[in-house]
Amino acid sequence: MLASAVALAALAANPVAVPVAAYVVMADGGAVARAITEAACPLLDADGRAITMTVRAASGTVAQRSTASPAELSKPSAFPVTVCEAAVPKGARRLRIAGRTLPVPAKRMWRIVVIGDTGCRLKAADSAYQPCNDPAAFPFARIAASAAAWKPDLVVHVGDYHYRENPCPPGNAGCAGSPWGYGWDAWAADFFGPAAPLLAAAPIAPVRGNHENCARAGQGWWRFLDGHAPAAGQDCNDSANDHLGDASTPYAVDLGGGARLVLMDLATASNKPLTDDDWRRTGFAATYAGVDALSRGARFVFAVNHHPILGLAAVREDAGATLKPGNRAIQSVFGAISPRQAPAGVDVLLAGHVHLWQQVSFAGAFPSQFITGFSGTLEDVVPIPAMLPPDTEAAPGARIAAFSSWVDGFGYMTMERTGGRSWRVLVHDVSGRVVNRCRIKGSKSVCDLPQVRVP
């Protein structure tokens, strides 16, 4: 114990060893403390015991993967930081790294913040240049601070952390000087900088978005946030290994009291049904089986992925807004296994991708769907019609019983357990003001402000 105390004191006194970021990830197998540092790996102080942190990803520069943006707008991905990690001992009461306090996972994580689609969009292919320098136009830092003040036990991020893919055009004051590309500087500006107060408030359960696929920001995803142990070929550096890097197995996070969160990696889903020879079919089917196994024995289950399986999105067409139901790629696999589009043990689906907030509850046995893709990224959605067209379904047979959608601004969602299978859901704007209230009971949900009428 004396040697451990001496080591911790020496490390705390060395400013070079202080990490630029430190946080706790709810990972496969338990909580993991991570540190992003410009020096050697620090020690993790768990209740006064020094624990050696190991290197998850060494510093270095790797070739940038091709993107959907113009090929000429590319540069190497520089990671001049080392990512270190150590398992958090079960029952730990205090965690510190180089004098910085980390949040300790609670036995009952019943106050949950849900955010998604948080980065600042800079994409030449779409001529989309969000004013990253304007806190009103890119309010993720304000959202993170407001959500942290709510004092959550857990933060769930439903994907799309990184959006700064291309340089800001000359003369554009709104994003002038912004870092871009897929290296550490863009990750720091898009996520770790603005998210700092939220990462200090609670552990994070991160889900991968399509912006973190291998052809985009996957290199950073595997370094910084993925909840699995590193494995050969999964670092997204070599396109020949994308079948490994673009997939991972689901895992569960125990929320206490029989409640469970199951995280899925379905980020490669497009919105077209998968053909029989598509390599993703096998992985999606395995994910369904994994979620089924992980859901059994739980009293309540949230299943989390990036693409909404049972949500609705409106697309502008010549004749007006057309509703697009769910994600057809996932439905083509999940629906072939069960018409419910989810294992029987799943009560609620959480997702992002569509840049709005939404709640959908169904007649029959389908799980409720919540979408929280409204936490910072440029909002480019078409409003949902005030009255849903007759016979609107989110999937074959998924007849909508209750629906609510909010597209009037940025914000975040909170969930608080109120009973064995009951949760209170609040929708907050940037400042934390509550703009809608919802209730979950089992697989059913309803909100105070439907805003959309169901025929």
Side-chain angles (χ1 to χ4, degrees):
M1 181 64 72
L2 178 59
S4 175
V6 171
L8 287 169
L11 184 61
N14 181 5
V16 177
V18 175
V20 294
Y23 48 102
V24 173
V25 173
M26 299 308 297
D28 186 10
V32 173
R34 289 194 181 149
I36 302 173
T37 178
E38 296 173 340
C41 285
L43 295 174
L44 171 65
D45 175 358
D47 298 325
R49 179 166 66 95
I51 299 174
T52 300
M53 302 189 78
T54 60
V55 174
R56 176 179 177 85
S59 62
T61 298
V62 292
Q64 178 181 292
R65 295 293 306 279
S66 61
T67 73
S69 302
E72 65 271 15
L73 297 177
S74 64
K75 65 176 182 178
S77 298
F79 295 100
V81 291
T82 297
V83 184
C84 310
E85 64 182 0
V88 173
K90 290 184 178 181
R93 296 184 177 182
R94 189 190 69 169
L95 300 173
R96 294 173 68 85
I97 294 178
R100 179 182 301 186
T101 300
L102 274 65
V104 177
K107 291 182 179 179
R108 293 187 174 184
M109 294 184 279
W110 290 2
R111 288 173 59 85
I112 301 172
V113 162
V114 188
I115 55 175
D117 297 84
T118 53
C120 186
R121 174 174 283 180
L122 299 179
K123 188 175 180 183
D126 296 337
S127 297
Y129 298 103
Q130 189 172 352
C132 306
N133 300 329
D134 182 352
F138 175 55
F140 179 41
R142 295 173 59 199
I143 288 170
S146 179
W150 189 73
K151 299 186 183 304
D153 300 320
L154 180 69
V155 177
V156 175
H157 196 304
V158 295
D160 281 3
Y161 312 73
H162 181 290
Y163 275 84
R164 302 188 193 218
E165 298 183 282
N166 302 135
C168 181
N172 187 326
C175 55
S178 172
W180 62 278
Y182 297 133
W184 164 244
D185 55 352
W187 271 96
D190 245 4
F191 183 69
F192 286 100
L198 199 47
L199 294 176
I204 183 171
V207 167
R208 183 186 203 166
N210 60 294
H211 275 252
E212 290 78 51
N213 287 339
C214 277
R216 303 176 91 171
Q219 293 163 329
W221 164 256
W222 280 104
R223 286 170 175 264
F224 303 127
L225 289 171
D226 186 85
H228 300 82
Q234 284 191 316
D235 55 16
C236 291
N237 290 335
D238 185 349
S239 60
N241 294 326
D242 281 359
H243 63 293
L244 300 174
D246 271 336
S248 60
T249 56
Y251 66 92
V253 175
D254 184 11
L255 302 177
R260 196 170 294 166
L261 196 75
V262 180
L263 309 182
M264 299 181 280
D265 184 353
L266 301 170
T268 58
S270 58
N271 204 24
K272 296 180 180 180
L274 300 185
T275 59
D276 290 343
D277 60 351
D278 193 305
W279 67 272
R280 293 171 291 180
R281 288 195 73 92
T282 300
F284 285 14
T287 294
Y288 185 101
V291 174
D292 187 12
L294 292 167
S295 301
R296 295 183 183 184
R299 195 173 184 187
F300 191 96
V301 174
F302 293 102
V304 194
N305 72 298
H306 180 62
H307 296 280
I309 300 173
L310 294 175
L312 293 180
V315 178
R316 197 180 308 280
E317 296 181 347
D318 292 341
T322 300
L323 290 179
K324 301 293 185 180
N327 182 276
R328 295 182 180 180
I330 301 173
Q331 289 181 6
S332 67
V333 179
F334 281 24
I337 302 172
S338 169
R340 190 176 187 264
Q341 300 289 342
V346 172
D347 296 287
V348 172
L349 300 169
L350 302 178
H353 191 63
V354 186
H355 297 171
L356 48 64
W357 175 87
Q358 188 178 108
Q359 167 269 340
V360 197
S361 187
F362 301 91
F366 292 88
S368 285
Q369 173 80 70
F370 284 82
I371 302 174
T372 56
F374 69 137
S375 302
T377 301
L378 184 67
E379 294 177 300
D380 57 357
V381 295
V382 178
I384 303 290
M387 169 68 83
L388 292 181
D391 303 322
T392 299
E393 293 181 332
R399 184 168 58 85
I400 295 171
F403 189 95
S404 184
S405 183
W406 190 64
V407 295
D408 294 334
F410 299 102
Y412 60 98
M413 185 173 84
T414 59
M415 306 188 303
E416 188 171 8
R417 195 171 186 180
T418 57
R421 290 177 50 75
S422 301
W423 297 74
R424 176 171 52 245
V425 175
L426 301 179
V427 185
H428 306 254
D429 67 9
V430 171
S431 66
R433 180 176 65 95
V434 175
V435 297
N436 203 353
R437 291 176 170 84
C438 310
R439 293 160 298 284
I440 298 172
K441 188 171 184 179
S443 63
K444 307 301 180 183
S445 59
V446 65
C447 299
D448 290 349
L449 300 175
Q451 298 187 0
V452 175
R453 296 190 299 278
V454 178

